[in-house]
DNA sequence: TTATGGCTTGATGGAAACATAAAGTCATCA
DNA sequence: TGATGACTTTATGTTTCCATCAAGCCATAA
């Protein structure tokens, strides 16, 4: 498709990728798919408690970005991650969040220590 | 259950992180900071050609998310990545994009091959 | 003190994303 | 065949994001 043949500047492609990950429902779906390789829409509905059309909208976003693959078997639809690297990216994000949280806690402790050592304000 | 491993609140935090990366200008800034540890606003303006206020808005987003740190020295402001893991995340995203592009090209080739082998339509 | 340079913040109209509901598709069952 | 179940797509009002411009710091120079 034209998307693949005429890619936008790399920064925009990358931004689009991140944008497509910028919603809690879509993160949840990708986490489910990271935990078990194939998940049906019915299972996702059960796991998330969402309304079908709502979930489906978000699945469409992930499909358009080629992050997941849909496979219809009979009347059910099964999803898988299009690439293992999707799970790696989520893992990378998780690590970053941990690092940020730790740094913030250290900063907080440091601020308290500083304030204490020169008399609280 | 996946619930225990990936609690819902964390998904929202993660989504916020990705959302903050979902803009070409912010990606560009983070890549500049990945390439050289400290970059002044003046240098970013030169590198991007943006209007000062526009860049500043995006820097504010990155600061709020604790992805970058601002350090004022005299009248200039210097930025650094708040965590090395930010650069790792970008690298991870780059790899994913490459994988996706390669998969799409393979699919395209396969489609062409299939069509050819049964007579083009 | 006023002025200037370097950035940030606030305000605003327009574009994109979101949640919900209605309608549509496709496969299976009666 | 018609009906039902499992999803997806379309349509909608609402919220959020974005680019632009005006105004507001803060530090240095005059």
């Amino acid at each position: 498709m034209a998307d693949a043949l005429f890619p936008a500047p790399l920064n925009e492609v990358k931004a689009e990728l991140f944008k497509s990950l910028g919603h809690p429902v879509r993160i949840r779906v990708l986490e489910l798919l990271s935990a078990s390789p194939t998940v049906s829409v019915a299972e996702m509905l059960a796991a998330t408690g969402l309304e079908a059309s709502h979930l489906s909208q978000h699945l469409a976003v992930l499909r358009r970005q080629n992050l997941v693959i849909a496979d219809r078997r009979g009347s059910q639809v099964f999803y898988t991650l299009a690439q293992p690297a999707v799970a790696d990216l989520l893992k990378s994000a998780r690590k970053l969040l941990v690092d940020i949280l730790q740094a913030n806690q250290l900063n907080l402790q440091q601020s308290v220590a500083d304030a204490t050592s020169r008399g609280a304000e």
Side-chain angles (χ1 to χ4, degrees), chain A:
Chain A
M1 47 188 76
D3 292 26
L5 293 174
F6 306 106
L10 192 50
N11 280 342
E12 289 181 21
V13 175
K14 237 176 277 183
E16 285 305 309
L17 168 62
F18 284 123
K19 213 185 290 182
S20 73
L21 298 174
H23 191 289
V25 169
R26 297 196 290 267
I27 294 292
R28 188 84 219 285
V29 167
L30 293 178
E31 301 274 22
L32 287 173
L33 290 171
S34 299
S36 47
T38 299
V39 181
S40 69
V41 173
E43 287 169 326
M44 293 184 197
L45 287 173
T48 62
L50 292 171
E51 196 193 347
S53 72
H54 194 190
L55 173 61
S56 202
Q57 300 262 28
H58 289 292
L59 288 173
V61 172
L62 297 176
R63 282 199 312 273
R64 263 177 250 130
Q65 275 299 311
N66 295 298
L67 293 174
V68 300
I69 294 175
D71 177 24
R72 157 160 258 144
R73 297 180 212 158
S75 64
Q76 289 195 232
V77 178
F78 294 84
Y79 279 84
T80 59
L81 292 184
Q83 302 295 332
V86 175
D88 297 340
L89 182 61
L90 290 178
K91 212 164 118 186
S92 195
R94 200 152 36 233
K95 182 189 184 309
L96 172 56
L97 283 177
V98 169
D99 288 359
I100 290 174
L101 275 177
Q102 286 182 345
N104 289 351
Q105 286 184 350
L106 288 180
N107 287 344
L108 191 59
Q109 288 170 8
Q110 192 58 49
S111 301
V112 171
D114 290 355
T116 303
S117 72
R118 65 170 191 276
E121 285 144 37

